Amino acid sequence: MTSIELPFRATTAQACHWLAQQTAAPWTLARMIENGLTPYVWLDYDADYPALFGDANGGYPAPIFFEGDTRRLSAGSEDVLITITKDAYKIVTQLKPPGFRRALHELRFLKKDLERLASKLKREAEPEPVNIEAARESQTGISKEQVLMAFSSLVKIDLDQALCDGGGIFGDEGARIKGSAKRAKNKALWNPVTLALGLNDVYRVPIPHLKRAFNAHDFLYAWAAEWHHSLALLGK
């Protein structure tokens, strides 16, 4: 397999080829999406959508992250359908039905995202056992903003309001780190593993969706070992 140099925006074939070299395992579009990678499609400026492009009158790379859109790609669709994306200013935008359709060959993956995933997979493949207790002691929690970034799109409730009103959300302190809000309510920290398990148990958020959240955010990498350990103990 000839080594390739990753371009800034890699095609699906380039990304799969490169990841296969890094991990000694085959990769597909579905597997990349399952591991939290976000595909992009370049959108040329469209005068019918001035608010979407703003000052980007030459176009911009639009991310495909909405679950319905990515699930369709993972299932083997013949083209790309974008119904929700981010505009040129990175603000989430719902497109007018039926959305944008593009050819599969137009999909691109960011070099930095691919390199980050490869590094993560190599760390996970290291033979040294993970000391769960030491990892737990070295962590305090994640902020409300990080909770919302990772999990709010997975639930139908107003998670922001739930964090403010629900104490620990799942009973007493629940997912909230004990004592983290003593001085100021907005300083509360949350255990993402406890929170994710609660979202699955109480709000039926599927485990695969929660796994993607842990793979997609840098601030959750330190919690990955505890997350997988908890799933193993629960047989999930």
Side-chain angles (χ1 to χ4, degrees):
M1 186 180 288
T2 304
S3 177
I4 65 168
E5 179 69 25
L6 270 180
F8 178 68
R9 297 191 185 97
T11 65
T12 301
Q14 289 171 330
C16 288
H17 184 174
W18 187 82
L19 283 171
Q21 289 183 323
Q22 303 302 310
T23 63
W27 282 80
T28 63
L29 174 59
R31 188 181 178 194
M32 288 194 291
I33 291 173
E34 177 68 24
N35 277 269
L37 287 175
T38 299
Y40 289 77
V41 166
W42 181 268
L43 297 181
D44 288 322
Y45 183 80
D46 188 335
D48 291 334
Y49 293 85
L52 185 67
F53 292 88
D55 294 330
N57 53 19
Y60 77 99
I64 304 169
F65 59 87
F66 177 58
E67 181 189 345
D69 297 342
T70 58
R71 185 172 60 239
R72 184 175 179 274
L73 286 174
S74 294
S77 62
E78 296 181 350
D79 62 0
V80 181
L81 175 63
I82 312 171
T83 59
I84 294 178
T85 187
K86 292 182 180 179
D87 65 16
Y89 303 108
K90 303 188 184 304
I91 298 172
V92 175
T93 301
Q94 183 164 4
L95 301 174
K96 292 183 292 187
F100 292 158
R101 287 188 181 273
R102 295 294 186 272
L104 281 177
H105 68 77
E106 296 183 66
L107 288 175
R108 295 293 183 270
F109 291 85
L110 297 185
K111 178 179 180 179
K112 64 183 179 67
D113 291 345
L114 292 163
E115 290 176 338
R116 184 173 60 189
L117 174 60
S119 296
K120 170 183 170 294
L121 294 174
K122 287 176 182 177
R123 286 197 305 270
E124 291 177 350
E126 291 176 357
E128 300 228 359
V130 177
N131 185 328
I132 300 298
E133 291 303 320
R136 183 182 292 115
E137 290 173 2
S138 68
Q139 298 159 178
T140 52
I142 63 175
S143 68
K144 184 179 79 168
E145 289 71 21
Q146 290 171 323
V147 170
L148 296 176
M149 190 183 305
F151 302 115
S152 63
S153 65
L154 304 180
V155 293
K156 295 181 179 178
I157 64 168
D158 185 338
L159 188 56
D160 190 353
Q161 194 63 45
L163 293 174
C164 293
D165 296 344
I169 293 190
F170 306 116
D172 299 325
E173 294 292 341
R176 189 176 63 192
I177 303 298
K178 188 174 182 179
S180 63
K182 281 184 177 178
R183 293 186 179 180
K185 196 172 183 179
N186 62 359
K187 298 297 183 183
L189 297 174
W190 306 84
N191 182 310
V193 175
T194 304
L195 183 63
L197 292 174
L199 292 175
N200 168 251
D201 183 50
V202 179
Y203 297 106
R204 298 295 184 263
V205 176
I207 290 294
H209 298 177
L210 295 164
K211 285 182 178 178
R212 281 199 291 272
F214 276 87
N215 287 332
H217 300 283
D218 290 346
F219 55 81
L220 292 180
Y221 287 174
W223 297 85
E226 184 176 344
W227 166 243
H228 291 297
H229 180 68
S230 298
L231 292 181
L233 290 176
L234 294 170
K236 296 188 176 183

